Structure formats: C-alpha cells, structure tokens
Amino acid sequence: VRIVYSVPARLRLPLAIVTALVVAEAATLLMRPRVVPRPVDVPARAYFSPQELERARDFRTGQLWLYGGRVAVELALLVVIVRRPPRRLLDARRPVLAGAAAAAALSLAVTAATLPLSAWSRERAKDVGLVTQSWTGWAGDVAKGAAIGVVLTGAGGALLVVGLRRFGPRWWAPGAALVVAFGVVTTVVWPVLLDPIFNRFTPLPAGALRSDVLRLADRAGVKVGEVYEMDASRRTTAANAYVTGLGPTKRVVLYDTLLEDFSPEEVRLVVAHELGHQHHRDVPRGLLYLAIVAPLGMFAVARLTERLAPAGRERGPAAVPAVALSIALLVPAITAISNQLSRAVELRADRYALRLTGDAEALIGFQRRITIQNVSDPDPPAVVRFLLGTHPTAMERIGLALAVERGS
Ligand SMILES: [Zn+2]
C-alpha cells in the first residue's frame, strides 16, 4: 500500500485497476487446471442442422442484446444518481441508516428500471417454448428476488458507511474480508436458506438412479453429500444440474427436467461431471480464488469511489451510489478473467466424467440434446464466450469427448 501511495495522484486509480486485473489473471493462471487431451476443433454444423443453429442463434442474439440493454440501463441509472445525489443523502442525520436506505433503494430502482427488458426477455424465452411458468408466478419470483436484494444490499450499505467512517480510505481492507466471509457463509447457507424460497428440493428416492449415483460416487471415492431433485419444471423446460453448498450442506442438485427427458446413461454422465467437481473440491477452490482476488478488487473499488463520489462526501452515505457504480464497472471485468478459470474447471469435470463412465458417445449425445432443448448456441461468437462464458461451449465439450475417444 505504501508503494501505491507514493505514485503520482493521477496514476493511483489506473494503477489500482490494472493491479486488480493482473492479480485476477495471475490467480487464474496459477489455479487453472490443464486439461489433457485438448478438445478437437469441430464445426457446429457437423452436429447440428442449419435450422437448429439458426433457431438458437436468433434466440441467443436477441437475449444478449436485452442483457446488454439491462446492463446499460443499470449503469445509466447509477451514473445519474452519482452525479446528482439526492439531498437527503448529503445531509443525513443518521448516516448508517441513510446508507442502508440508499443501498436498498438503489437495488429496488435497478430491478424496477430493468423490469421491462426482463419481461421482454422472458417473453422471447416463452416464444421458443422454454417457459412453463405463469406471469403471476414470474411476478412472485421477481418480488421475492427484490425482497432478498433489499435485505442484503441494505445490510451492505449500512456496513459500508460504518467502514467508511471508521477506516476512511482504508475501508477496502475490512470490506474485502467481509466480501470473502459473505462468500463463505452464503455458500454454506444458501442451499438450505434461500434456494427453498424459489424451488422444492427432494432427496432422490431409493431406486435404480439413486443406487447408480451412490455406486458411481463410491467408485470415484467421492463423498457426494445428498443428491436432490429440484422442481425446475415449474419454471422452465431447460435441463441442468449443479453442485452447491459446503461442509454439511454439500450436495448435488439435478433438475427434474433432466431426469424426465434424458436417458439413464446421460443422467449418469451428468452426475459423474458433478462428482468431478466434488473430487477436485471446486466449490472451496472457488472461495480461495475469491479470497485472492477480493483485496485488490476492493482496493480498486475504493480508489474509483474516491474519484466518483461527491467531493468532501467520500466518507458518508453520499458515497454509497459511487461504490455501487464502481462495483458495477469493475466486477464484470474481473468476472471475464475468472470465467477463464471457470471454463477450465468445467472442462476438467467433463474429463473426469469421461474417465469415470468411459462413455464419450453419451457425452456427445447429451451435449447435442441439451443444447437443442435449452435453445443454446453451441458455438457462440468468441467475444461473447470470452466475456460471459462460465462453461466451455457445446462444441468444445463435444471436441473433448472426440479427443478422448480418439486417444483410447
Ligand atoms: Zn460443472
């Protein structure tokens, strides 16, 4: 920190941002598994018909524009509020309470301002047959999400003002510690506290599938935790699966749409992929990555906030919108970097699943079917993949299966 303070004032902000990005990239390179063999390069048209590709691209391109629109609306809203902060924030008599109110109000305002675009995006998903939920159900989800957002951002706003007043320009250090603690706590409690607000989770009933999953986990030497079926079909026809939780809440979650629409071999392969995440401890490793990246990330947020907040008000509730804008600007850049790690980790889980099941054909068949069912673009433009891709593309995953098949 001393070094940073000895550089000329006008260089502090760019240097802080560049350092945060460099540290994120370094952590990505250090933690990134090298997946052997490398996926074979195959064109999407070898596995998907022109009609399937056109349908997916039409749908995804529109969804991306709507996503970009929501980001633009959010940034514009924050810029307006940062430039003209409400009077009540400037001379708040109870600064901590004002910080909480400001953060909660910002969260609600962003949800409200982007709502038309969210509804439009949902309408397009409905047109391609992905939506099974009524508008009332959707409105209920939005309301629940907004309520959770208000509580969490409200608490964040209050803590931020406490930190700003107590630690001044060094608030980023306790701030980063809180971000990491929040990451750990939510990883542990989210699956038992917040997920059930949106869906029903039932342990996989005794039967062929459950014994198959347990046998697979046993063979892999992985303590799988509980395996749950989630009633995703109340909202969508899309299929998926994921691992979540930590310690006592560690679990594998399978969408009911997956269990209904896919063959036992394909479900087995998905379970093996999730076991790969358990085997490599990808959830705790993700938290480790957060712990490495958060300090310099928050340092950059603090320096950007100083630049954006109204002069002389950097220590009070009037700085809250500036912090929100700084986070909204910096987090996507850091996420684009951490996505490189995420894609490599996902490919490694695929490699693990292929080793465990020895079934490359099932992976290829599964990727083909799930891509069509979820109306996903199997081979999105490179820039989209780079900025937003948390998973390898379907063509990379098929390419990995082909490489494994050819290798053995
Ligand atoms: Zn995965």
Side-chain angles (χ1 to χ4, degrees):
V1 178
R2 287 194 80 86
I3 299 167
V4 175
Y5 277 117
S6 70
V7 302
R10 70 193 160 79
L11 288 182
R12 272 177 211 163
L13 174 61
L15 194 62
I17 293 173
V18 169
T19 310
L21 298 180
V22 167
V23 166
E25 184 64 46
T28 295
L29 292 176
L30 272 173
M31 294 179 70
R32 180 160 66 179
R34 261 190 302 166
V35 181
V36 185
R38 283 173 62 85
V40 177
D41 207 7
V42 269
R45 58 175 193 280
Y47 288 87
F48 298 91
S49 73
Q51 290 80 6
E52 285 163 349
L53 288 173
E54 198 185 297
R55 175 169 178 261
R57 279 169 192 164
D58 271 0
F59 176 59
R60 290 297 159 188
T61 308
Q63 296 303 82
L64 272 171
W65 278 108
L66 288 172
Y67 172 73
R70 289 203 297 275
V71 173
V73 167
E74 177 181 351
L75 289 176
L77 182 73
L78 289 173
V79 166
V80 167
I81 296 172
V82 165
R83 296 189 68 172
R84 319 197 71 188
R87 188 146 273 293
R88 275 202 227 154
L89 274 183
L90 293 173
D91 30 53
R93 259 182 287 156
R94 293 190 188 162
V96 176
L97 200 64
L106 277 178
S107 153
L108 269 185
V110 167
T111 304
T114 54
L115 205 55
L117 292 176
S118 307
W120 187 353
S121 174
R122 179 187 182 275
E123 188 57 32
R124 294 189 76 249
K126 203 171 150 192
D127 288 344
V128 295
L130 277 172
V131 173
T132 56
Q133 194 183 26
S134 67
W135 278 105
T136 326
W138 181 76
D141 278 351
V142 171
K144 286 185 215 168
I148 293 171
V150 161
V151 171
L152 292 180
T153 51
L159 284 169
L160 175 66
V161 173
V162 170
L164 284 167
R165 288 160 64 87
R166 171 88 176 68
F167 300 98
R170 295 198 173 79
W171 70 271
W172 60 271
L178 267 181
V179 165
V180 177
F182 180 77
V184 174
V185 170
T186 50
T187 305
V188 176
V189 305
W190 203 280
V192 285
L193 231 54
L194 291 169
D195 282 338
I197 297 177
F198 295 93
N199 281 94
R200 213 177 52 228
F201 295 82
T202 37
L204 219 54
L209 178 60
R210 189 184 169 82
S211 354
D212 200 27
V213 167
L214 295 179
R215 207 169 31 239
L216 208 60
D218 194 42
R219 230 177 72 206
V222 172
K223 285 210 181 65
V224 63
E226 187 55 78
V227 181
Y228 286 92
E229 176 180 344
M230 178 182 117
D231 61 341
S233 59
R234 60 183 295 197
R235 215 167 270 126
T236 179
T237 55
N240 212 338
Y242 62 93
V243 286
T244 182
L246 194 68
T249 62
K250 186 169 99 167
R251 63 197 52 203
V252 173
V253 176
L254 306 172
Y255 280 27
D256 57 355
T257 42
L258 179 79
L259 301 178
E260 219 149 274
D261 302 331
F262 290 80
S263 75
E265 291 73 35
E266 288 168 336
V267 172
R268 206 158 167 266
L269 194 97
V270 173
V271 170
H273 170 99
E274 304 306 334
L275 291 178
H277 285 311
Q278 305 274 36
H279 174 81
H280 294 109
R281 296 187 174 81
D282 288 333
V283 172
R285 286 169 65 92
L287 291 171
L288 174 66
Y289 183 83
L290 178 66
I292 298 172
V293 170
L296 281 151
M298 288 305 280
F299 182 73
V301 167
R303 297 294 75 85
L304 187 54
T305 299
E306 275 169 4
R307 181 73 55 93
L308 296 173
R313 312 277 188 168
E314 297 90 346
R315 303 279 178 87
V320 169
V323 173
L325 178 57
S326 303
I327 290 174
L329 289 170
L330 291 175
V331 165
I334 292 178
T335 304
I337 293 175
S338 71
N339 279 347
Q340 300 166 4
L341 178 62
S342 174
R343 288 193 295 268
V345 161
E346 292 297 337
L347 205 60
R348 175 172 65 180
D350 273 355
R351 177 75 188 92
Y352 185 88
L354 286 168
R355 229 176 249 151
L356 199 60
T357 60
D359 201 349
E361 277 310 311
L363 192 140
I364 294 170
F366 174 74
Q367 281 304 326
R368 236 190 74 73
R369 290 225 294 143
I370 196 159
T371 300
I372 294 167
Q373 178 153 342
N374 295 2
V375 202
S376 339
D377 185 347
D379 193 19
V383 58
V384 173
R385 174 188 178 276
F386 175 78
L387 289 175
L388 305 173
T390 56
H391 285 63
T393 65
M395 291 325 297
E396 288 170 305
R397 303 177 91 164
I398 289 174
L400 178 74
L402 290 173
V404 167
E405 216 173 28
R406 286 175 197 176
S408 56

